[in-house]
Amino acid sequence: VKIILDLGDLEHIHYKILPELLQAAVFSQLSNGGIKLVHVNPYHRRLLELVGVHENFETYESVAEAILSFDISTPAGSC
């Protein structure tokens, strides 16, 4: 599963959702995918750091960059 979350219009993230997001990221990585975050502002970045999940997510300035970051030679779910 390949997921891109655009946080551009998101003002607040409740810290309790971040462990769930991390769990989803791990699951998607097991299926040759991942979760990429786009438009991460300083507040989002700091919250990810405080909760200790910042190293588990790649961040990008644009959706196009995030799309290109996925290895398109291997479809999601392939081994």
Side-chain angles (χ1 to χ4, degrees):
V1 178
K2 297 176 181 177
I3 300 169
I4 297 172
L5 294 177
D6 186 344
L7 306 182
D9 291 331
L10 189 64
E11 293 179 18
H12 178 73
I13 302 173
H14 196 286
Y15 73 94
K16 288 186 177 180
I17 194 68
L18 295 177
E20 301 294 329
L21 189 59
L22 176 59
Q23 203 170 39
V26 169
F27 174 77
S28 65
Q29 289 167 356
L30 291 174
S31 64
N32 227 12
I35 296 179
K36 314 288 180 151
L37 305 179
V38 178
H39 299 123
V40 178
N41 68 33
Y43 164 77
H44 300 139
R45 191 170 311 281
R46 182 71 178 135
L47 185 59
L48 292 168
E49 290 171 359
L50 287 172
V51 176
V53 299
H54 63 285
E55 294 179 354
N56 300 97
F57 297 100
E58 295 176 24
T59 60
Y60 297 90
E61 294 298 316
S62 71
V63 172
E65 285 179 284
I67 291 169
L68 290 173
S69 74
F70 282 114
D71 179 9
I72 59 172
S73 64
T74 308
S78 297
C79 293

Coordinates of all heavy atoms in Angstrom, one line a residue:
V1 N 0.8 -1.2 0.0 CA 0.0 0.0 0.0 C 0.9 1.2 0.0 O 1.8 1.4 0.9 CB -0.9 0.0 1.2 CG1 -1.8 1.3 1.2 CG2 -1.8 -1.2 1.3
K2 N 0.7 2.1 -0.9 CA 1.4 3.4 -1.0 C 0.5 4.5 -0.7 O -0.5 4.7 -1.4 CB 2.0 3.5 -2.4 CG 3.0 2.4 -2.7 CD 3.6 2.5 -4.1 CE 4.5 1.3 -4.4 NZ 5.0 1.3 -5.7
I3 N 0.8 5.3 0.3 CA 0.0 6.4 0.8 C 0.7 7.7 0.8 O 1.9 7.7 1.3 CB -0.6 6.0 2.2 CG1 -1.4 4.7 2.1 CG2 -1.4 7.2 2.7 CD1 -1.7 4.2 3.5
I4 N 0.1 8.7 0.4 CA 0.7 10.1 0.5 C -0.3 10.9 1.3 O -1.5 11.0 0.9 CB 0.9 10.7 -0.9 CG1 2.0 9.9 -1.6 CG2 1.4 12.2 -0.7 CD1 2.2 10.3 -3.1
L5 N 0.1 11.5 2.4 CA -0.7 12.3 3.2 C -0.3 13.8 3.0 O 0.9 14.1 3.4 CB -0.6 12.0 4.7 CG -1.2 10.6 5.0 CD1 -1.0 10.3 6.5 CD2 -2.7 10.5 4.7
D6 N -1.1 14.6 2.5 CA -0.8 16.0 2.3 C -1.3 16.8 3.5 O -2.5 16.9 3.7 CB -1.5 16.5 1.0 CG -1.1 18.0 0.6 OD1 -0.6 18.7 1.5 OD2 -1.3 18.4 -0.5
L7 N -0.4 17.3 4.3 CA -0.8 18.0 5.5 C -0.9 19.5 5.3 O -1.0 20.2 6.3 CB 0.3 17.7 6.6 CG 0.6 16.2 6.9 CD1 1.6 16.1 8.0 CD2 -0.7 15.5 7.2
G8 N -0.9 19.9 4.1 CA -0.9 21.4 3.8 C -2.0 22.2 4.4 O -1.8 23.3 4.9
D9 N -3.2 21.6 4.5 CA -4.4 22.4 5.0 C -4.7 21.9 6.5 O -5.7 22.4 7.0 CB -5.6 22.1 4.2 CG -5.5 22.8 2.8 OD1 -4.8 23.9 2.8 OD2 -6.1 22.4 1.9
L10 N -3.8 21.1 7.0 CA -4.1 20.6 8.4 C -3.4 21.5 9.4 O -2.2 21.7 9.4 CB -3.5 19.1 8.5 CG -3.8 18.4 9.7 CD1 -5.3 18.1 9.8 CD2 -3.0 17.1 9.7
E11 N -4.2 22.0 10.3 CA -3.7 22.9 11.3 C -3.2 22.2 12.5 O -2.3 22.6 13.2 CB -4.8 23.9 11.7 CG -5.1 24.9 10.6 CD -6.2 25.9 11.0 OE1 -6.4 26.0 12.3 OE2 -6.8 26.5 10.1
H12 N -3.9 21.1 12.9 CA -3.6 20.4 14.1 C -3.6 18.9 13.9 O -4.5 18.4 13.2 CB -4.6 20.8 15.2 CG -4.4 20.1 16.5 ND1 -3.3 20.4 17.4 CD2 -5.1 19.1 17.1 CE1 -3.4 19.6 18.4 NE2 -4.4 18.8 18.3
I13 N -2.7 18.2 14.6 CA -2.7 16.7 14.6 C -2.8 16.3 16.1 O -1.9 16.8 16.9 CB -1.4 16.1 14.0 CG1 -1.2 16.5 12.6 CG2 -1.5 14.6 14.1 CD1 0.1 16.1 12.0
H14 N -3.7 15.5 16.5 CA -3.8 15.1 17.9 C -2.7 14.0 18.0 O -2.6 13.1 17.3 CB -5.1 14.5 18.2 CG -5.4 14.4 19.7 ND1 -4.8 13.4 20.4 CD2 -6.1 15.1 20.5 CE1 -5.2 13.5 21.7 NE2 -6.0 14.5 21.8
Y15 N -1.9 14.2 19.0 CA -0.7 13.3 19.2 C -1.1 11.8 19.4 O -0.3 10.9 19.0 CB 0.1 13.8 20.5 CG -0.5 13.5 21.8 CD1 -0.2 12.3 22.5 CD2 -1.5 14.3 22.3 CE1 -0.8 12.0 23.7 CE2 -2.1 14.1 23.5 CZ -1.8 12.9 24.2 OH -2.4 12.7 25.4
K16 N -2.3 11.5 19.8 CA -2.7 10.1 20.0 C -2.9 9.4 18.7 O -2.9 8.2 18.7 CB -4.0 10.1 20.9 CG -3.8 10.4 22.3 CD -5.0 10.2 23.1 CE -4.8 10.5 24.6 NZ -6.0 10.3 25.4
I17 N -3.0 10.1 17.6 CA -3.2 9.4 16.3 C -1.9 9.0 15.7 O -1.8 8.1 14.9 CB -4.0 10.3 15.3 CG1 -4.5 9.5 14.1 CG2 -3.1 11.4 14.8 CD1 -5.5 8.5 14.4
L18 N -0.8 9.5 16.2 CA 0.5 9.2 15.6 C 1.0 7.8 15.8 O 1.5 7.2 14.8 CB 1.6 10.2 16.1 CG 1.3 11.7 15.7 CD1 2.3 12.6 16.3 CD2 1.3 11.8 14.2
P19 N 0.8 7.2 16.9 CA 1.1 5.7 17.0 C 0.3 4.9 16.0 O 0.8 3.9 15.4 CB 0.8 5.3 18.4 CG 0.9 6.6 19.2 CD 0.4 7.7 18.2
E20 N -1.0 5.2 15.8 CA -1.8 4.5 14.8 C -1.2 4.8 13.4 O -1.2 3.8 12.6 CB -3.2 5.0 14.9 CG -3.9 4.8 16.2 CD -4.0 3.3 16.6 OE1 -4.2 2.5 15.6 OE2 -4.0 3.0 17.7
L21 N -0.8 6.0 13.1 CA -0.2 6.3 11.8 C 1.1 5.5 11.6 O 1.3 5.0 10.5 CB 0.0 7.8 11.7 CG 0.4 8.3 10.4 CD1 -0.6 8.0 9.3 CD2 0.7 9.8 10.5
L22 N 1.8 5.4 12.7 CA 3.1 4.6 12.6 C 2.8 3.1 12.3 O 3.4 2.5 11.5 CB 3.9 4.7 13.9 CG 5.1 3.9 14.0 CD1 6.1 4.3 12.9 CD2 5.8 4.1 15.4
Q23 N 1.8 2.6 13.0 CA 1.4 1.2 12.7 C 1.0 1.0 11.3 O 1.3 0.0 10.6 CB 0.2 0.9 13.7 CG 0.1 -0.6 13.9 CD -0.9 -0.8 15.1 OE1 -1.9 -0.1 15.2 NE2 -0.6 -1.8 15.9
A24 N 0.2 2.0 10.7 CA -0.2 1.9 9.3 C 1.1 2.0 8.4 O 1.1 1.3 7.4 CB -1.2 3.0 9.0
A25 N 2.0 2.8 8.8 CA 3.2 2.9 8.0 C 4.0 1.6 7.9 O 4.5 1.2 6.9 CB 4.1 4.0 8.5
V26 N 4.1 1.0 9.1 CA 4.8 -0.3 9.2 C 4.1 -1.4 8.3 O 4.7 -2.1 7.5 CB 4.9 -0.8 10.6 CG1 5.4 -2.2 10.7 CG2 5.9 0.1 11.4
F27 N 2.8 -1.4 8.4 CA 2.0 -2.4 7.6 C 2.2 -2.1 6.1 O 2.4 -3.0 5.3 CB 0.5 -2.3 8.0 CG -0.4 -3.1 7.1 CD1 -0.4 -4.5 7.3 CD2 -1.1 -2.5 6.1 CE1 -1.2 -5.2 6.4 CE2 -1.9 -3.3 5.2 CZ -2.0 -4.6 5.4
S28 N 2.1 -0.8 5.7 CA 2.3 -0.5 4.3 C 3.7 -0.8 3.8 O 3.9 -1.2 2.7 CB 1.9 0.9 4.0 OG 2.8 1.8 4.6
Q29 N 4.7 -0.6 4.7 CA 6.1 -1.0 4.3 C 6.3 -2.5 4.1 O 7.0 -2.9 3.2 CB 7.1 -0.4 5.3 CG 7.2 1.1 5.3 CD 7.9 1.6 6.5 OE1 8.3 0.9 7.4 NE2 8.1 2.9 6.5
L30 N 5.5 -3.3 4.9 CA 5.6 -4.7 4.7 C 5.0 -5.2 3.4 O 5.4 -6.2 2.9 CB 4.9 -5.4 5.9 CG 5.5 -5.3 7.2 CD1 4.6 -5.9 8.3 CD2 6.9 -6.0 7.2
S31 N 4.2 -4.4 2.8 CA 3.6 -4.7 1.5 C 4.3 -3.9 0.4 O 3.7 -3.7 -0.7 CB 2.1 -4.5 1.5 OG 1.8 -3.1 1.7
N32 N 5.5 -3.5 0.6 CA 6.3 -2.8 -0.4 C 5.8 -1.4 -0.7 O 6.0 -0.9 -1.8 CB 6.4 -3.7 -1.7 CG 7.8 -3.7 -2.2 OD1 8.8 -3.4 -1.5 ND2 8.0 -4.2 -3.4
G33 N 5.2 -0.8 0.3 CA 4.7 0.5 0.1 C 5.3 1.5 1.1 O 6.5 1.4 1.4
G34 N 4.4 2.3 1.7 CA 4.9 3.3 2.7 C 3.9 4.4 2.8 O 3.0 4.6 2.0
I35 N 4.2 5.3 3.8 CA 3.4 6.5 3.9 C 4.4 7.6 3.8 O 5.4 7.7 4.5 CB 2.7 6.6 5.3 CG1 1.6 5.4 5.4 CG2 2.0 7.9 5.5 CD1 0.9 5.4 6.7
K36 N 4.1 8.6 2.9 CA 4.9 9.7 2.7 C 4.1 11.0 3.1 O 2.9 11.0 2.9 CB 5.3 9.9 1.2 CG 5.8 8.6 0.5 CD 7.1 8.2 0.9 CE 7.5 7.0 0.2 NZ 8.9 6.8 0.0
L37 N 4.8 11.9 3.8 CA 4.1 13.1 4.3 C 4.5 14.3 3.4 O 5.7 14.4 3.1 CB 4.4 13.4 5.7 CG 4.1 12.2 6.7 CD1 4.6 12.6 8.1 CD2 2.7 11.8 6.7
V38 N 3.5 15.1 3.1 CA 3.8 16.3 2.2 C 3.3 17.5 2.9 O 2.4 17.5 3.7 CB 3.0 16.1 0.9 CG1 3.2 17.3 0.0 CG2 3.5 14.9 0.1
H39 N 4.0 18.6 2.7 CA 3.7 19.9 3.3 C 3.7 19.9 4.8 O 2.8 20.3 5.5 CB 2.4 20.5 2.8 CG 2.4 20.7 1.3 ND1 1.5 20.1 0.5 CD2 3.2 21.4 0.5 CE1 1.7 20.5 -0.8 NE2 2.8 21.3 -0.8
V40 N 4.8 19.3 5.4 CA 4.9 19.2 6.9 C 5.4 20.5 7.4 O 6.5 20.9 7.1 CB 5.8 18.0 7.2 CG1 6.0 18.0 8.7 CG2 5.3 16.7 6.6
N41 N 4.6 21.2 8.2 CA 5.0 22.5 8.7 C 5.8 22.3 10.0 O 5.9 21.2 10.5 CB 3.8 23.4 8.9 CG 2.9 23.0 10.0 OD1 3.3 22.4 11.0 ND2 1.6 23.3 9.8
P42 N 6.4 23.3 10.5 CA 7.2 23.2 11.7 C 6.5 22.6 12.9 O 7.0 21.8 13.7 CB 7.7 24.6 12.0 CG 7.7 25.3 10.7 CD 6.5 24.7 10.0
Y43 N 5.2 22.9 13.1 CA 4.4 22.4 14.1 C 4.3 20.8 14.0 O 4.5 20.1 14.9 CB 3.0 23.0 14.2 CG 2.0 22.2 15.0 CD1 2.0 22.2 16.3 CD2 1.0 21.4 14.3 CE1 1.1 21.5 17.1 CE2 0.1 20.7 15.1 CZ 0.2 20.7 16.4 OH -0.7 20.0 17.2
H44 N 3.9 20.4 12.8 CA 3.8 19.0 12.5 C 5.1 18.3 12.8 O 5.2 17.2 13.4 CB 3.4 18.7 11.0 CG 2.1 19.3 10.6 ND1 2.0 19.9 9.4 CD2 0.9 19.4 11.2 CE1 0.7 20.3 9.2 NE2 0.1 20.0 10.4
R45 N 6.2 18.8 12.3 CA 7.5 18.2 12.4 C 7.9 18.1 13.9 O 8.4 17.0 14.3 CB 8.6 19.1 11.7 CG 9.9 18.4 11.6 CD 10.9 19.1 10.6 NE 10.3 19.5 9.4 CZ 10.2 18.7 8.3 NH1 10.5 17.4 8.4 NH2 9.7 19.1 7.2
R46 N 7.6 19.1 14.7 CA 8.0 19.1 16.1 C 7.1 18.0 16.8 O 7.6 17.3 17.7 CB 7.7 20.5 16.7 CG 8.1 20.6 18.2 CD 9.5 20.5 18.4 NE 9.8 20.6 19.8 CZ 10.7 19.8 20.5 NH1 11.4 18.9 19.8 NH2 10.9 20.0 21.7
L47 N 5.9 17.9 16.5 CA 5.0 16.9 17.1 C 5.5 15.5 16.7 O 5.5 14.6 17.6 CB 3.5 17.1 16.6 CG 2.5 16.2 17.3 CD1 2.5 16.4 18.8 CD2 1.1 16.5 16.7
L48 N 5.8 15.3 15.5 CA 6.4 14.0 15.1 C 7.6 13.7 15.9 O 7.8 12.5 16.3 CB 6.7 14.0 13.6 CG 5.5 14.0 12.7 CD1 6.0 14.3 11.2 CD2 4.7 12.7 12.7
E49 N 8.5 14.7 16.1 CA 9.7 14.5 16.9 C 9.4 14.2 18.4 O 10.0 13.3 19.0 CB 10.6 15.7 16.8 CG 11.2 15.9 15.5 CD 11.9 17.2 15.3 OE1 11.9 18.0 16.3 OE2 12.5 17.5 14.2
L50 N 8.5 14.9 19.0 CA 8.1 14.8 20.4 C 7.5 13.4 20.7 O 7.8 12.8 21.7 CB 7.1 15.8 20.8 CG 7.7 17.2 21.0 CD1 6.5 18.2 21.3 CD2 8.7 17.3 22.2
V51 N 6.7 12.9 19.7 CA 6.1 11.6 19.9 C 7.1 10.4 19.6 O 6.9 9.3 19.9 CB 4.8 11.5 19.1 CG1 4.2 10.1 19.2 CG2 3.8 12.5 19.6
G52 N 8.2 10.8 18.9 CA 9.2 9.8 18.5 C 9.0 9.0 17.3 O 9.6 7.9 17.2
V53 N 8.2 9.5 16.4 CA 7.9 8.8 15.1 C 8.5 9.5 13.9 O 8.3 9.0 12.8 CB 6.4 8.5 14.9 CG1 5.8 7.7 16.1 CG2 5.6 9.9 14.8
H54 N 9.2 10.6 14.1 CA 9.7 11.4 12.9 C 10.6 10.6 12.0 O 10.6 10.8 10.8 CB 10.4 12.6 13.4 CG 11.6 12.4 14.2 ND1 11.5 12.0 15.5 CD2 12.9 12.5 13.9 CE1 12.7 11.8 16.0 NE2 13.6 12.2 15.1
E55 N 11.4 9.6 12.5 CA 12.3 8.9 11.7 C 11.6 7.8 10.8 O 12.2 7.2 10.0 CB 13.4 8.2 12.6 CG 14.3 9.3 13.2 CD 15.3 8.6 14.1 OE1 15.3 7.4 14.3 OE2 16.2 9.4 14.6
N56 N 10.3 7.6 11.1 CA 9.6 6.6 10.4 C 8.9 7.1 9.1 O 8.2 6.3 8.4 CB 8.6 5.9 11.3 CG 9.3 5.3 12.5 OD1 9.3 5.8 13.5 ND2 9.8 4.1 12.2
F57 N 8.9 8.4 8.9 CA 8.2 9.0 7.8 C 9.1 9.9 6.9 O 9.9 10.7 7.5 CB 7.0 9.9 8.3 CG 6.0 9.1 9.0 CD1 6.0 9.1 10.4 CD2 5.0 8.4 8.4 CE1 5.0 8.4 11.1 CE2 4.1 7.6 9.0 CZ 4.1 7.6 10.4
E58 N 9.0 9.7 5.7 CA 9.7 10.6 4.7 C 8.8 11.8 4.5 O 7.6 11.6 4.4 CB 10.0 9.9 3.4 CG 11.0 8.7 3.6 CD 11.2 7.9 2.3 OE1 11.0 8.5 1.2 OE2 11.5 6.8 2.4
T59 N 9.4 13.0 4.4 CA 8.6 14.2 4.1 C 9.1 14.8 2.8 O 10.3 14.8 2.5 CB 8.7 15.2 5.3 OG1 10.1 15.5 5.5 CG2 8.2 14.6 6.6
Y60 N 8.1 15.5 2.2 CA 8.4 16.1 0.9 C 7.7 17.4 0.8 O 6.7 17.7 1.5 CB 7.9 15.2 -0.3 CG 8.6 13.9 -0.3 CD1 8.2 12.8 0.5 CD2 9.8 13.7 -1.0 CE1 8.9 11.6 0.5 CE2 10.6 12.5 -0.9 CZ 10.1 11.5 -0.2 OH 10.8 10.3 -0.1
E61 N 8.2 18.3 -0.1 CA 7.6 19.6 -0.3 C 6.4 19.6 -1.2 O 5.6 20.5 -1.2 CB 8.7 20.5 -0.8 CG 9.8 20.8 0.1 CD 9.3 21.5 1.4 OE1 8.5 22.4 1.3 OE2 9.8 21.1 2.5
S62 N 6.3 18.5 -2.1 CA 5.2 18.5 -3.0 C 4.7 17.0 -3.2 O 5.5 16.1 -2.9 CB 5.6 19.0 -4.4 OG 6.5 18.1 -5.0
V63 N 3.5 16.9 -3.6 CA 2.9 15.6 -3.9 C 3.7 14.9 -5.0 O 4.0 13.7 -4.9 CB 1.4 15.7 -4.2 CG1 0.9 14.4 -4.7 CG2 0.6 16.2 -3.0
A64 N 4.1 15.7 -6.0 CA 4.8 15.1 -7.1 C 6.2 14.5 -6.6 O 6.5 13.4 -7.1 CB 5.1 16.2 -8.2
E65 N 6.9 15.1 -5.7 CA 8.1 14.6 -5.2 C 7.8 13.3 -4.4 O 8.6 12.3 -4.6 CB 8.8 15.6 -4.2 CG 9.4 16.7 -4.9 CD 10.0 17.6 -3.8 OE1 9.3 18.4 -3.2 OE2 11.3 17.6 -3.6
A66 N 6.7 13.3 -3.7 CA 6.4 12.1 -2.9 C 6.1 10.9 -3.8 O 6.5 9.8 -3.6 CB 5.2 12.4 -2.0
I67 N 5.3 11.2 -4.9 CA 5.0 10.1 -5.9 C 6.3 9.6 -6.5 O 6.4 8.3 -6.6 CB 4.0 10.7 -7.0 CG1 2.7 11.0 -6.4 CG2 3.9 9.7 -8.1 CD1 1.7 11.8 -7.3
L68 N 7.2 10.4 -6.9 CA 8.4 10.0 -7.5 C 9.3 9.2 -6.6 O 10.1 8.4 -7.0 CB 9.2 11.2 -8.1 CG 8.5 11.8 -9.3 CD1 9.3 13.1 -9.7 CD2 8.4 10.9 -10.5
S69 N 9.1 9.4 -5.3 CA 10.0 8.7 -4.3 C 9.6 7.2 -4.1 O 10.5 6.5 -3.7 CB 9.8 9.4 -2.9 OG 8.6 9.1 -2.3
F70 N 8.4 6.9 -4.5 CA 8.1 5.5 -4.5 C 8.8 4.7 -5.6 O 8.9 5.2 -6.7 CB 6.6 5.2 -4.6 CG 5.8 5.5 -3.4 CD1 4.9 6.6 -3.3 CD2 5.9 4.7 -2.2 CE1 4.2 6.9 -2.2 CE2 5.2 5.0 -1.1 CZ 4.3 6.1 -1.1
D71 N 9.3 3.6 -5.3 CA 9.9 2.7 -6.4 C 8.9 2.2 -7.3 O 8.2 1.2 -7.0 CB 10.7 1.6 -5.7 CG 11.4 0.7 -6.7 OD1 11.5 1.1 -7.9 OD2 11.9 -0.3 -6.3
I72 N 8.7 2.8 -8.4 CA 7.7 2.5 -9.4 C 8.0 1.2 -10.1 O 7.1 0.6 -10.8 CB 7.3 3.6 -10.4 CG1 8.6 4.0 -11.2 CG2 6.8 4.8 -9.6 CD1 8.3 4.9 -12.3
S73 N 9.2 0.6 -10.0 CA 9.5 -0.6 -10.7 C 8.9 -1.8 -9.9 O 8.8 -2.9 -10.5 CB 11.0 -0.8 -10.8 OG 11.6 -0.9 -9.5
T74 N 8.5 -1.7 -8.7 CA 7.9 -2.7 -7.9 C 6.5 -2.4 -7.4 O 6.4 -1.5 -6.6 CB 8.8 -3.0 -6.7 OG1 10.2 -3.2 -7.1 CG2 8.3 -4.3 -5.9
P75 N 5.5 -2.9 -8.0 CA 4.1 -2.6 -7.6 C 3.9 -3.0 -6.2 O 4.5 -3.9 -5.7 CB 3.2 -3.5 -8.5 CG 4.1 -4.0 -9.6 CD 5.5 -3.9 -9.1
A76 N 3.0 -2.2 -5.5 CA 2.7 -2.5 -4.1 C 2.1 -4.0 -4.0 O 1.4 -4.4 -4.9 CB 1.6 -1.6 -3.6
G77 N 2.6 -4.7 -3.0 CA 2.1 -6.1 -2.8 C 3.0 -7.1 -3.5 O 2.8 -8.3 -3.3
S78 N 3.9 -6.7 -4.3 CA 4.8 -7.6 -5.0 C 6.0 -7.9 -4.1 O 6.4 -7.1 -3.3 CB 5.4 -7.0 -6.3 OG 4.3 -6.8 -7.2
C79 N 6.6 -9.1 -4.2 CA 7.7 -9.5 -3.5 C 9.0 -9.6 -4.3 O 8.9 -9.8 -5.5 CB 7.5 -10.8 -2.8 SG 6.2 -10.7 -1.5

